[in-house]
Amino acid sequence: RRAAGSTRVVPTNKELLRNAASTLSGPPGNRVPILIHGGTLIDGTGADAIANPGVLIHGDQIKAVGPAAEQQASQLTQVTRVDATGKTVMPGLIDAHCHVTFAEPASNDELFFHRPSEGLAALVAGHGVQKVLRAGCTGFL
């Protein structure tokens, strides 16, 4: 959908997830800035949550938070706006202990003794990584 001017409006649903790869791909300097607005911000510092702040992201950096984010976004020729109303905005989560190749075994025997190939483990890992991402973890060690 297009709003007035050159602002692109992206709803917060499955379509946003499908569009995220294209919005975030490429070198950081070539990415379209993203303004997340309308949600509740938890910044990860222990401070109280902030209702309805703007968060302006360009490349791999948070450029502004709060009224300054909206102001800076209004001066850009192109920005992707994400309406986070009713949602929580927070830093990505990291799973510090994750076994993406385990899938959902019924027993230790099934897990450790019935893996016929490394190729199968790679396919299971691809599925496992998607599950971790859908759970909200944006990285793992």
Side-chain angles (χ1 to χ4, degrees):
R1 307 185 294 178
R2 292 254 180 215
S6 63
T7 303
R8 195 168 112 218
V9 178
V10 180
T12 54
N13 57 20
K14 290 181 182 179
E15 184 179 0
L16 173 62
L17 295 175
R18 285 191 295 267
N19 292 337
S22 62
T23 301
L24 299 175
S25 65
N30 294 338
R31 296 180 193 160
V32 174
I34 300 170
L35 177 68
I36 303 172
H37 62 93
T40 299
L41 175 66
I42 298 175
D43 66 10
T45 66
D48 290 339
I50 303 168
N52 301 318
V55 179
L56 181 63
I57 304 165
H58 192 192
D60 57 0
Q61 294 183 350
I62 296 172
K63 293 294 188 178
V65 176
E70 292 280 354
Q71 179 187 24
Q72 289 179 30
S74 70
Q75 297 172 1
L76 297 170
T77 57
Q78 188 176 19
V79 63
T80 298
R81 293 181 174 269
V82 177
D83 183 3
T85 302
K87 310 268 190 269
T88 301
V89 178
M90 58 190 278
L93 302 175
I94 296 174
D95 187 338
H97 187 105
C98 187
H99 297 274
V100 295
T101 62
F102 279 15
E104 297 171 13
S107 68
N108 277 346
D109 182 55
E110 179 183 337
L111 175 63
F112 294 109
F113 301 113
H114 297 291
R115 285 293 159 101
S117 71
E118 291 177 359
L120 176 59
L123 291 172
V124 171
H127 177 73
V129 167
Q130 291 176 17
K131 286 173 47 178
V132 170
L133 182 60
R134 284 192 304 269
C137 294
T138 57
F140 65 94
L141 304 175

